[in-house]
Amino acid sequence: MNSFERMQNRLQGKTVDRPPNFDIFMVFAAHFINQPLTKYYLDYHVLVEANLAMVENFNVDIMQAISDPYRETHDFGAAIEFPADDLPVCKIPLLNEPDDLNRLSIPKPENGKRMSDRLEAIRSMKEKVGNAIPVMGWVEGALAEAGDLRGVGTVMMDIYERPDWLKDLLEITVELEIAFVEAQIAAGADIIGIGDALCSQISPAMYREFALPYEQRIIAAIHAKGALARLHICGDTNQIVDDMIKTGADIIDLDWMVDMHATCERYGDSVAFCGNFDPVKVMLRGTPEEVYAATEQSIYMPGNRTFSAAGCEIPDKTPHHNLFAQTRALNNF
């Protein structure tokens, strides 16, 4: 059974040789192949090489074109700084003042320097793995992208002080994300991940007003083009998980703070959940025995649809023997 078949069967609750490993790798992957983060972010060849290394060395079941949250933001026109081997930084928000929205134009993904680099990564990944391993593209959620353009703290204030203005911005960001979705699927993506981390910082009512409708539109666009949707909201989403189900996502990531067993009991027959052991306490700082136990616990859940992954990105400097322990637990399924 190859990775693509494994994913499809698990989504349907059918028999698999082992649950799929859908760990998210970024910084770890770049450093594993001895490349600085700048190259990982800016050169799709490095991104592809790093992902192939994760598949070949750690039995990961997905090729992923995820890197950082600033691809769309850069192509909107924001000034993004790329330290040699550190995370990118946007020191001055593109929408520093509300009136700046009037000057915001929507770039075409194929013309944007950084969005087109992701498209090239997806084409290269698909060429190398074909239909044996699913290829995952990535977009920011509309609210997350608003935070990237405006600053997270400022967007939080906008929810209270200028909600109608914020919705005007969200109409722009969701339009771009849908266009980016369609371009990535055309390039060969089988799955589109949606990162909307800001949503774990707002109330359920705010989520339903400022995030859920836009996630639903993005996911509808993904499905309309024949691809799968993976929703990733970092942090404690216990208070919004019932609403996350309404997005229509095929795979929903759960971070370590979420009661995965209780969530699978409620929804495991209809949605595949991915997670959810602690990426720092367990994967980075734990022992192989602890990783094995956490992996084993996460895959025996109601519904038989769960995917294995840490609650969020695999941290840099994670011991290799801990990743091998995850593999052993999956292989002994």
Side-chain angles (χ1 to χ4, degrees):
M1 178 174 285
N2 64 32
S3 293
F4 203 97
E5 294 165 341
R6 189 173 295 121
M7 175 194 72
Q8 289 182 315
N9 277 23
R10 193 64 167 172
L11 282 171
Q12 299 171 47
K14 295 181 179 179
T15 301
V16 291
D17 55 346
R18 62 171 176 81
N21 181 342
F22 265 37
D23 277 330
I24 292 176
F25 291 92
M26 289 182 279
V27 177
F28 178 96
H31 290 160
F32 184 81
I33 62 168
N34 299 312
Q35 290 287 352
L37 292 178
T38 303
K39 289 189 175 181
Y40 185 79
Y41 297 141
L42 300 177
D43 183 352
Y44 77 88
H45 297 92
V46 175
L47 178 67
V48 173
E49 180 187 352
N51 271 270
L52 283 171
M54 297 301 97
V55 169
E56 293 166 357
N57 287 276
F58 302 113
N59 286 353
V60 179
D61 286 298
I62 189 169
M63 293 286 289
Q64 44 200 317
I66 179 176
S67 60
D68 66 283
Y70 287 132
R71 287 186 185 263
E72 298 96 308
T73 309
H74 176 279
D75 291 348
F76 265 121
I80 310 297
E81 297 182 13
F82 293 91
D85 193 27
D86 207 342
L87 303 178
V89 179
C90 181
K91 292 184 177 179
I92 302 175
L94 185 64
L95 302 181
N96 205 35
E97 299 295 337
D99 287 346
D100 293 336
L101 183 61
N102 298 325
R103 298 192 295 273
L104 193 66
S105 59
I106 300 175
K108 293 184 178 180
E110 59 270 21
N111 295 337
K113 182 177 180 179
R114 298 211 62 222
M115 286 191 288
S116 64
D117 181 81
R118 177 169 286 165
L119 299 180
E120 290 299 331
I122 290 170
R123 292 187 186 101
S124 177
M125 289 177 177
K126 198 65 176 177
E127 180 180 345
K128 292 180 184 298
V129 304
N131 292 324
I133 302 171
V135 173
M136 183 178 71
W138 198 268
V139 296
E140 291 287 280
L143 186 61
E145 182 58 27
D148 296 335
L149 291 167
R150 181 94 165 115
V152 171
T154 307
V155 164
M156 295 290 198
M157 296 301 296
D158 290 334
I159 289 175
Y160 286 99
E161 296 179 352
R162 49 184 70 84
D164 291 337
W165 179 93
L166 178 56
K167 289 178 182 177
D168 289 340
L169 172 57
L170 292 172
E171 286 298 323
I172 293 173
T173 57
V174 76
E175 183 177 338
L176 173 65
E177 302 304 350
I178 288 173
F180 199 16
V181 157
E182 293 173 344
Q184 290 181 68
I185 295 170
D190 305 294
I191 307 170
I192 300 293
I194 305 158
D196 222 355
L198 196 152
C199 296
S200 64
Q201 307 302 308
I202 59 179
S203 72
M206 292 174 183
Y207 176 75
R208 288 190 288 270
E209 183 173 0
F210 295 99
L212 176 60
Y214 306 97
E215 290 171 353
Q216 289 172 326
R217 286 164 63 180
I218 293 171
I219 289 168
I222 294 169
H223 289 160
K225 294 297 181 179
L228 299 169
R230 176 183 184 179
L231 180 62
H232 182 89
I233 299 177
C234 307
D236 186 349
T237 55
N238 279 296
Q239 73 277 13
I240 61 170
V241 71
D242 292 337
D243 290 313
M244 291 167 65
I245 303 298
K246 300 173 186 176
T247 63
D250 304 282
I251 302 169
I252 295 179
D253 290 0
L254 300 177
D255 211 339
W256 66 269
M257 308 87 161
V258 180
D259 187 335
M260 189 165 179
H261 190 277
T263 303
C264 287
E265 278 191 325
R266 294 202 303 275
Y267 301 111
D269 289 334
S270 57
V271 178
F273 292 101
C274 185
N276 75 330
F277 51 86
D278 191 325
V280 176
K281 182 179 179 181
V282 175
M283 185 59 88
L284 176 63
R285 298 176 180 168
T287 65
E289 292 75 21
E290 289 170 331
V291 173
Y292 188 101
T295 302
E296 194 172 46
Q297 181 179 14
S298 70
I299 59 179
Y300 292 102
M301 291 284 172
N304 295 319
R305 294 170 183 261
T306 53
F307 286 55
S308 178
C312 200
E313 176 187 359
I314 296 296
D316 193 22
K317 298 182 173 61
T318 290
H320 295 180
H321 56 243
N322 281 355
L323 291 165
F324 295 144
Q326 181 186 13
T327 298
R328 285 198 304 275
L330 294 175
N331 287 340
N332 290 336
F333 175 70

